[in-house]
Amino acid sequence: MAAPPTTSPLAVLGRLTWMMFGPLALLLAAWGVVSKGGGWLTTADLAYLAVLAAMLLGRWLEFRGGSPQKATGEPATPADLRRYVIFTLVIGLGVWVVANLLGNYWLAR
């Protein structure tokens, strides 16, 4: 019987970041962008972009630190990492643009 693969604490932190804490923090940061308005590169915008970067870093750390998994628990491949990065960047930046349009133009009236 083979021993189960071990996962480093850093990889576990990465997994928690991209799966749980990151999306919640991103939602709160997007709300901050919408509610504060005031321009395109405010503190709220920088916080949003930092959380987005932390989610990408968390996923990468999980791949570097041990046996990476999909959200369903199956083993993840480098192709899964590429898809996650592209999807997260496209959707995350799209949400940031919409949040800025809402906060700076449509709700600011």
Side-chain angles (χ1 to χ4, degrees), residues 77-109:
T77 65
D80 293 319
L81 175 62
R82 282 190 298 278
R83 274 193 301 274
Y84 176 80
V85 168
I86 291 168
F87 179 79
T88 302
L89 277 176
V90 169
I91 298 299
L93 292 176
V95 167
W96 176 69
V97 168
V98 169
N100 268 291
L101 290 173
L102 283 171
N104 294 325
Y105 301 106
W106 294 317
L107 298 178
R109 296 179 185 182

Side-chain angles (χ1 to χ4, degrees), residues 3-108:
T6 59
T7 303
S8 74
L10 196 56
V12 171
L13 179 62
R15 185 173 302 149
L16 289 173
T17 299
W18 76 266
M19 285 183 74
M20 292 175 53
F21 302 130
L24 177 61
L26 204 61
L27 178 67
L28 295 173
W31 176 254
V33 170
V34 171
S35 65
K36 291 189 193 246
W40 283 80
L41 282 177
T42 64
T43 306
D45 293 304
L46 296 177
Y48 181 92
L49 295 172
V51 170
L52 186 62
M55 288 174 59
L56 297 173
L57 178 65
R59 186 65 166 143
W60 180 79
L61 283 174
E62 181 187 18
F63 266 80
R64 298 287 298 160
S67 55
Q69 298 177 357
K70 297 179 184 180
T72 58
E74 301 165 346
T77 65
D80 293 319
L81 175 62
R82 282 190 298 278
R83 274 193 301 274
Y84 176 80
V85 168
I86 291 168
F87 179 79
T88 302
L89 277 176
V90 169
I91 298 299
L93 292 176
V95 167
W96 176 69
V97 168
V98 169
N100 268 291
L101 290 173
L102 283 171
N104 294 325
Y105 301 106
W106 294 317
L107 298 178

